[in-house]
Amino acid sequence: MNRFARLATRLLAVPLGLVWLEPAGEAAGAVPECWPVGAEPDPAVPACCRLVAEDGMPRFLSRVGDSCDDGSDGGDSDGAAFAFAGVPLVGGSGELLGVLAVTDHAPRQWSEDDVRDLSDLAAACSAQMRMRTRSETVRQAREAAEGEATRVHELLNRSELLLRASEDLADTSGLDDVRRRVGDLVGGDLEPAGIDLVLVRQGLLHHVTGPADGDVPGPPPGRPAWPFGLGSPWPVARAVREHRMIVVDGPPAAGGADAGAGSRATAATPAFEGLRLATAACLPLRGTHGTLGALVLGWEAPYEIGVDERAVLTTLAGYTAQAVERALHLDERVTVARQLQRAMLTELPDVPGLELSALYRPAARDDMVGGDWYDAYPLPVAPGGSAAGALALTVGDITGHDMRAAALMGQVRSMLRQADHDHPGEGPEQALGALERACRRLNLPASGTAVHAHLTPAADGHWQLRWSNAGHPAPLVVTADGAVETLVRHDVLLHHALTPGPRTCDSRSLPPGSTLLLYTDGLVEERGGDIEDNVDRLAQRLATAPAGVPLDALLRSLLDTVGPRDAQDDAVLFAVRVAAS
């Protein structure tokens, strides 16, 4: 404090500066720290400081007597006149800490600079005193914390747990993923012996089961997984009904359900029935529109759940509830998307002499639905024609893999079907051309690729294939002897901005026992890989497939061995096999 007194004397050019401190609990007397050190102020100076302290307001007096009267009006004073200036020192809550004051031996007029300088110095002095007080508080807290090092360490671990929970549960993709990640999170910190996640569905509580490999803490194999009533006496059901944490302490009762008011404890959830758990916590999962269910943690040894631990568990339940709500939303969205995709994919017709099979794999992200499609339908018989039994085949890929692409795909598929029926007897290239012209007239922003083919029965069990390729991956044909041919010729892709032009058509005979494979680029395109190499692998797998293997098994094998592991795009495989003679 002597430093501030010295600075005050230098800034205001006065002989004496002091920091006057009133000790707590002492009404009389004061402790001044002066500059010069050891100087004795006029006896009237402490009285002036006390007046500043009582009023809580600065005083800048140009002439003061021994009674500390303001002599600025020129009045006489009994004692020797001197000038006084004092500013209160205040704490963080506005409490008085003392007074910073200066005095001059003779009367003087205090300038605006004097007022400002002393006020600024008093603010700095107040801050220093507050810092000293805080430092003392911190020292005391540190000494107290040394005796609770274990508790502080546990709180730090809990904070890290919640931080990880906020990050790990923010990008879960489904309920199983939520259950797994919650198990991973609490397994190393809270170390429960059992975890149960139950959700409310149609008035019942359903268990969300974990993986079978046992990596996630949970009840032993064979525990009941069937739903139970929301109105049942299980503590987990109470937690959901009452929207509050329920803690179960002590050994579980033998019957599992509450045995009445005198029952010491009970198994918290049916999944824990028969386990000798000393403590269990049932945490309600509060969603946007109500309680979604509950998370139950159980410990074999008594587990103390104090205020801090309750806060941690409540926060963990909050993150879990957000993840569950998001997973339920995604599950509902994926369900709708899959229903839309199934509605748009064709039920393959039964055609004598042919075996047909198709496989659709959605992308592993987004809406699980996209613009890839396959189609097969009987062709109309042209007037005077004899092509009864002809079949139209299509595999296409509308740009995109989301709901919009699926909607455009549905329109394009229907328009291509209509084009075939409006041009009976004409080739597949005419249908593709009609589709392009219709999209342009209707301003339909469809772009992508497609192979459209007509398959007509011929003599001796052969089938005549005519196809037109709009920028699509080349189909493959494998004959009964294992020879593979790539149908490489193609035209430009479909695009609404391109002026429709004439399209070509090629023809080939498919002998008995041969197989035609149509597919989309999602089967052979992989980030960092070469498409041509993957097409070669596809052709090799097709050539070496066992004779007579069912087409659906063949397509699944091709997808598993050639398709990318992390699918970023939809994939369609469509195969047609001519019956052996």
Side-chain angles (χ1 to χ4, degrees), residues 370-390:
D372 291 24
W373 92 94
Y374 63 88
D375 202 1
Y377 49 88
L379 285 170
V381 179
S386 59

Side-chain angles (χ1 to χ4, degrees), residues 24 29 31 118 137 208 213 242 252 269 280 382 400 433 439 458 513 515 527 535:
V31 180
L118 190 61
T137 303
V208 178
D213 56 13
E242 300 173 11
T269 172
C439 288
T515 300
R527 181 175 298 176
V535 172

Side-chain angles (χ1 to χ4, degrees), residues 348-356 377-378 388-391 455-458 460-464 510 512 576-580:
L348 297 178
D350 291 327
V351 181
L354 295 177
E355 180 186 356
L356 284 76
Y377 49 88
L391 189 69
L455 199 56
T456 307
D460 300 327
H462 288 63
W463 286 74
Q464 190 66 26
L510 298 181
V576 178
R577 178 181 290 164
V578 179

